[in-house]
Amino acid sequence: MEDTLLVVDGDMLAYRAAFASEYETKWDDDHWTLMSSETEMKAEVDRFFDNLSKTLRSDNILPVFSPRENFRLEFFPEYKANRRDKRKPLGLRWLVEWIKGNYNGITAENMEADDLIGILCTRNPTNTVAVSGDKDFGTLPIAWYNPLKDTKKMSSPQDAADFHLVQTLAGDAADGYMGVKGIGEVTARKLMDKKGYTWETVVGAYEKAGMSEDDALITARLAYILQDKDYNESTKEIKLWTPPSR
């Protein structure tokens, strides 16, 4: 097997495996319960890693997980607030700890799994592959495998920077933050194809909608996944995204 490091979105893996392992039981004419099997949860994870290893031809797998807190909450407390009341699958926390213990999974302080994956993959782009079904990984200049679609792509630095600006215009409802009202990904691309993939285009769209450049900057920082250049491993300092010089 090749030694390419497969850096896996452990949050997504655990969530999907835990949900897939739930089952309903009807006890009588009146009573139902929702149950889950630790055996099946572990089997779901084992199958995923086995298939991943065969597909990408590497046994070097690193699952990455998010901590409870992350730096985005410091400047946008409502980040992912829309998820707080949604039911999580049974056994999720147990499964995360099991994956960490059996597959040497890791968590970094104050940053999401996506950010740690971004840092690791941009640190060594020729010998790493990010593994996630999250389209946000298109904002990184890395090799990225989407197991939900069985697709692998390599984004250039320009493609990644362009998509980040598209995300800044469109926002991400799944993560609880909006961009410019009425602008989705398709409209954002049309606008930027016409006016240019620049920060000025983004700010112009925000101001036309009655918003400010500060609003655009907050959204851009929420949409941006950290890269190696944005993180000081010695001091644990995170450098927030800033627009390119005009």
Side-chain angles (χ1 to χ4, degrees):
M1 293 280 184
E2 299 177 4
D3 61 354
T4 299
L5 178 62
L6 311 180
V7 193
V8 177
D9 182 347
D11 294 343
M12 184 171 291
L13 169 60
Y15 198 86
R16 291 176 63 84
F19 258 131
S21 304
E22 293 182 342
Y23 60 95
E24 295 176 336
T25 298
K26 184 177 183 181
W27 295 99
D28 52 39
D29 290 339
D30 190 45
H31 296 92
W32 291 78
T33 57
L34 183 65
M35 305 179 72
S36 188
S37 163
E38 290 183 0
T39 299
E40 183 55 31
M41 280 192 278
K42 291 188 286 186
E44 285 280 344
V45 172
D46 289 340
R47 282 192 291 267
F48 176 85
F49 284 132
D50 184 57
N51 290 335
L52 181 67
S53 178
K54 291 175 181 176
T55 300
L56 298 184
R57 294 178 296 178
S58 176
D59 285 327
N60 193 8
I61 297 173
L62 177 65
V64 176
F65 298 90
S66 298
R68 289 181 178 272
E69 302 293 331
N70 73 82
F71 70 93
R72 290 178 181 83
L73 294 168
E74 296 170 8
F75 62 88
F76 191 74
E78 293 305 303
Y79 181 63
K80 293 187 176 179
N82 56 320
R83 302 186 185 185
R84 292 172 189 166
D85 294 331
K86 292 185 178 180
R87 184 183 73 84
K88 293 179 173 58
L90 299 175
L92 179 61
R93 290 185 183 179
W94 174 87
L95 182 58
V96 167
E97 294 306 316
W98 182 85
I99 297 172
K100 286 182 177 180
N102 286 269
Y103 286 95
N104 299 314
I106 60 173
T107 300
E109 181 182 345
N110 203 33
M111 68 175 69
E112 295 183 278
D114 293 3
D115 297 301
L116 183 51
I117 294 171
I119 290 168
L120 294 174
C121 288
T122 53
R123 182 176 296 169
N124 185 11
T126 61
N127 203 38
T128 53
V129 177
V131 180
S132 177
D134 191 336
K135 66 180 176 62
D136 294 350
F137 279 89
T139 64
L140 290 167
I142 60 171
W144 165 41
Y145 175 69
N146 184 338
L148 306 184
K149 297 182 177 180
D150 191 26
T151 57
K152 184 179 177 182
K153 65 177 292 186
M154 178 72 193
S155 295
S156 69
Q158 189 61 59
D159 287 342
D162 288 351
F163 187 54
H164 171 242
L165 293 180
V166 168
Q167 288 282 81
T168 302
L169 280 174
D172 191 337
D175 285 345
Y177 65 90
M178 300 296 111
V180 177
K181 186 176 181 180
I183 295 183
E185 183 177 335
V186 173
T187 304
R189 287 194 179 278
K190 288 181 179 179
L191 176 64
M192 304 196 90
D193 285 341
K194 180 180 179 180
K195 295 191 173 184
Y197 284 78
T198 67
W199 181 242
E200 287 73 21
T201 300
V202 172
V203 173
Y206 269 77
E207 290 178 342
K208 186 177 180 180
M211 302 166 77
S212 68
E213 182 170 1
D214 286 342
D215 295 322
L217 183 59
I218 289 173
T219 305
R221 287 174 169 174
L222 291 170
Y224 183 78
I225 297 177
L226 296 180
Q227 301 181 26
D228 186 43
K229 62 184 175 62
D230 306 308
Y231 182 62
N232 186 318
E233 194 162 12
S234 299
T235 64
K236 311 299 181 185
E237 182 180 0
I238 291 170
K239 182 174 69 175
L240 296 178
W241 183 86
T242 56
S245 300
R246 304 195 177 193

